[in-house]
Amino acid sequence: MRQEVSEEEAKCLTRWDWEEQLPSPQELVPLSQALIAPDLALAFGIPSSSATSASFSSAVLLRHDASDLYASGGGGEDDPEPPRTLKRPRLVWTPQLHKRFVDAVAHLGIANAVPKTIMQIMGVEGLTRENVASHLQKYRLYLKRVKMQGLAAASPSASPHPFLARAAPADPFLPYMPAAMLQQQHHHHHHKNPDPTQQHYYHQNQLFLNRPAQGQPVARPAAAMGSGMVFVPAQTTKPAQSAPLVNDSEWNRKGEDDDAANGGARKRELTLFPTG
DNA sequence: CTAATAATAT
DNA sequence: CATATTATTA
């Protein structure tokens, strides 16, 4: 429920913007309480009613799997320790979570975007470094794919013109597309000929002649990151073992719809990494 | 059954 | 941490 802002300002505000549209902690707590088994919630240290405060800024949406609930023991057991043999449900990268990921990567810069840092910046409780690493892997593959087909369009087959060949190795920066990849399929490829001589994307500091899109966040200069933390939502340290499991039912759809509303194109099924 | 995607192994 | 492989899901 934010009012629109101008594009220039949006660039500065966008990094905070998703914080707004993300489900608030207050909303997460009661929902998780309702859906999580009581003993499990207790084991995870999820507060019943009081002292909720800002222990966790958000939660990971996880696919529900009832098989792990009572993996270690009995129904009435009240051991406060979560069973370590508890297998974690498969993480579902909802559009919102993905956006958070993408924003973190963009803010860090593609060079400094490593799983651990990304995870810390995302500040999602329960999210593991491996989760991010796996997602980052696919994200890079996706970017590479996009870049390759972009370059292929520029240089058909065997005519590496000196201009192009010279500009190619520079390999500036990958255009980061937040909403583009959330669309089901790109019906029309916008950038058909990314002429390197004309393709000026964001570089290290602030050099850009060609802005990616309207109101889209751009990669932040590494200087800002070096001087201080960009932001840390709630916790700087993660609680080691257990994660707040939250079963999704409406969140997924709500997330899709919410994010889809941003780009204006909403689809039933959206893929985070369209393969084409 | 296949493709997509997340988890795990190297 | 990056890449390759395997497992699980849609």
Side-chain angles (χ1 to χ4, degrees), chain A residues 169-246:
Chain A
D171 198 335
F173 191 77
L174 298 165
Y176 127 83
M177 71 306 286
M181 57 193 312
L182 291 176
Q183 291 179 356
Q184 174 175 315
Q185 288 247 351
H186 42 74
H187 20 69
H188 295 84
H189 38 356
H190 338 354
H191 36 281
K192 39 184 68 173
N193 52 346
D195 192 2
T197 62
Q198 212 169 8
Q199 190 94 346
H200 302 100
Y201 280 114
Y202 216 91
H203 200 238
Q204 195 74 357
N205 281 329
Q206 276 177 318
L207 176 63
F208 67 97
L209 301 178
N210 191 9
R211 47 179 180 234
Q214 191 176 36
Q216 305 291 3
V218 237
R220 277 179 56 83
M225 182 194 64
S227 91
M229 268 300 206
V230 184
F231 63 90
V232 178
Q235 75 290 354
T236 54
T237 62
K238 53 180 182 178
Q241 31 184 320
S242 48
L245 300 179
V246 174

Side-chain angles (χ1 to χ4, degrees), chain A residues 47-62:
Chain A
S48 306
S49 57
S50 60
T52 67
S53 61
S55 300
F56 35 84
S57 60
S58 70
V60 187
L61 286 86
L62 296 171

Side-chain angles (χ1 to χ4, degrees), chain A residues 71-85:
Chain A
S72 103
E77 294 299 323
D78 55 345
D79 34 9
E81 305 168 357
R84 314 187 224 307
T85 59

Side-chain angles (χ1 to χ4, degrees), chain A residues 20-129:
Chain A
E20 303 292 308
Q21 53 188 272
L22 235 54
S24 62
Q26 291 79 10
E27 291 184 353
L28 298 183
V29 176
L31 188 59
S32 60
Q33 281 181 274
L35 294 175
I36 287 188
D39 46 353
L40 188 65
L42 189 66
F44 282 172
I46 297 180
S48 306
S49 57
S50 60
T52 67
S53 61
S55 300
F56 35 84
S57 60
S58 70
V60 187
L61 286 86
L62 296 171
R63 188 177 174 278
H64 175 55
D65 194 7
S67 61
D68 59 304
L69 288 181
Y70 301 97
S72 103
E77 294 299 323
D78 55 345
D79 34 9
E81 305 168 357
R84 314 187 224 307
T85 59
L86 190 73
K87 61 173 181 182
R88 270 202 219 218
R90 201 180 164 106
L91 172 67
V92 177
W93 281 90
T94 102
Q96 289 177 339
L97 207 64
H98 176 69
K99 179 168 177 23
R100 201 153 175 158
F101 166 84
V102 171
D103 284 344
V105 171
H107 289 152
L108 280 172
I110 196 67
N112 305 329
V114 291
K116 186 181 177 182
T117 315
I118 297 174
M119 179 195 66
Q120 297 189 144
I121 293 219
M122 287 180 70
V124 176
E125 166 70 21
L127 186 67
T128 68
R129 189 186 62 88

Side-chain angles (χ1 to χ4, degrees), chain A residues 255-275:
Chain A
E256 290 178 3
D257 191 70
D258 184 17
D259 196 291
N262 183 16
R266 48 179 177 270
K267 304 297 180 184
R268 299 295 178 87
E269 275 190 25
L270 47 82
T271 170
L272 267 45
F273 299 100
T275 54

Side-chain angles (χ1 to χ4, degrees), chain A residues 147-157 164 189 191-195:
Chain A
K147 186 178 70 176
M148 280 185 66
Q149 74 182 13
L151 286 175
S155 65
S157 54
L164 198 145
H189 38 356
H191 36 281
K192 39 184 68 173
N193 52 346
D195 192 2

